[in-house]
Amino acid sequence: MGKLEDALTGGGFPSTMPEAPSLTVPQQMAVAARLLAHDGYALDVAGHITVVRPDGDGSMWCTPYGLWWREITASDIIVIDPEGTVIEGKWDVTPAVFIHTEIHRARPDAPVLIHNHPYYGSLLSTLHMAPDITDQQACMFDGDILLFNEYTGGVDDAAGGEHLAQAIGDASAIILANHGVLITGSAVAHATYRALTFERTCRLNYDALAAAHKPVPVPPETRGLLKRSINTLSVDYYWGGAVRHLLATEPEVLD
């Protein structure tokens, strides 16, 4: 057994790196929104992040509609019920809330959803193309990528959200044709890292095509261990550093 397998079965690598501050879920969501925006992931007021609350009634935290992700603070996070009605908070909810309500309803394995229109993911969506697993980091998505090859306009009712939820099945990195990208995760940190890595995957695929070269996929038999390690060990390393750097310059995000 190699060191990577040892780390996965034994609780991770020994580390003296500083930990990220302990944050509430709304604080994590505000941090995630700003991190994604700073990385060019957010398109003005488009996009939404939801996290199912642990009380079992189907309610969820949601980023507000109308604010840019780069300006969201923890106190801006709203709470919606399973039908998408705001039950806590001072802001409105996105008209596309049914993307989230219906996928969360169908997918207990996906307590966190991130949707936006990042450039390279959206570019592939205009080509009706899903990225290949062509580099090591992309192995975290092995077997989880789906192209939803249909565009019927915005998802603005429960029926549309239910149709989308049924179509994507258990995929966790979805290209929405002529639209954008949808990412699921087990926690805010996990989903944020996956969203940023998937955009990088889309960019690498497109840049290779633009250079008139066909990308060479990572051999399938080598992907399993990397998928497990990047989806577990790498998340904490990313999130800890990203949170520390953000709070050093934008501490108001936690307000």
Side-chain angles (χ1 to χ4, degrees):
M1 182 179 293
K3 289 185 178 180
L4 188 53
E5 289 177 305
D6 286 339
L8 287 168
T9 58
F13 292 110
S15 177
T16 56
M17 66 179 290
E19 295 182 357
S22 178
L23 305 178
T24 66
V25 173
Q27 288 176 330
Q28 293 174 37
M29 293 174 68
V31 165
R34 293 203 186 193
L35 291 173
L36 289 161
H38 292 334
D39 210 59
Y41 198 89
L43 176 65
D44 52 66
V45 299
H48 7 95
I49 303 171
T50 51
V51 180
V52 176
R53 299 208 298 178
D55 50 20
D57 65 356
S59 63
M60 61 199 79
W61 289 286
C62 182
T63 50
Y65 185 59
L67 294 181
W68 289 37
W69 279 10
R70 69 188 66 175
E71 63 182 332
I72 288 176
T73 66
S75 61
D76 292 319
I77 302 300
I78 62 177
V79 178
I80 59 177
D81 68 15
E83 281 65 53
T85 301
V86 178
I87 56 177
E88 292 181 23
K90 59 185 177 182
W91 302 111
D92 202 355
V93 67
T94 171
V97 66
F98 301 104
I99 292 175
H100 295 255
T101 59
E102 303 315 301
I103 293 177
H104 282 310
R105 198 188 309 275
R107 295 278 302 275
D109 66 305
V112 182
L113 292 178
I114 296 177
H115 169 62
N116 214 312
H117 310 152
Y119 182 84
Y120 287 95
S122 298
L123 179 56
L124 293 192
S125 85
T126 70
L127 301 173
H128 288 212
M129 172 183 169
D132 288 329
I133 308 297
T134 58
D135 82 307
Q136 180 167 292
Q137 295 302 113
C139 290
M140 73 186 302
F141 304 110
D142 185 40
D144 297 333
I145 299 174
L146 176 81
L147 170 64
F148 179 63
N149 195 13
E150 177 182 345
Y151 184 76
T152 59
V155 178
D156 58 3
D157 58 28
E162 183 179 2
H163 174 69
L164 176 60
Q166 292 176 348
I168 67 174
D170 61 358
S172 63
I174 301 100
I175 296 282
L176 304 173
N178 304 106
H179 186 171
V181 175
L182 180 65
I183 299 291
T184 76
S186 60
V188 173
H190 182 229
T192 303
Y193 186 57
R194 287 170 59 78
L196 290 172
T197 305
F198 191 68
E199 175 68 352
R200 179 180 183 273
T201 298
C202 292
R203 179 173 184 171
L204 287 173
N205 270 250
Y206 179 76
D207 284 350
L209 292 174
H213 287 276
K214 181 174 175 57
V216 178
V218 176
E221 64 273 14
T222 68
R223 299 177 187 176
L225 185 59
L226 286 167
K227 177 178 180 177
R228 291 169 55 209
S229 66
I230 297 170
N231 273 295
T232 52
L233 301 178
S234 296
V235 173
D236 288 341
Y237 287 95
Y238 158 75
W239 183 252
V243 171
R244 291 193 303 275
H245 281 273
L246 182 70
L247 294 185
T249 55
E250 301 178 37
E252 74 282 356
V253 67
L254 302 184
D255 294 345

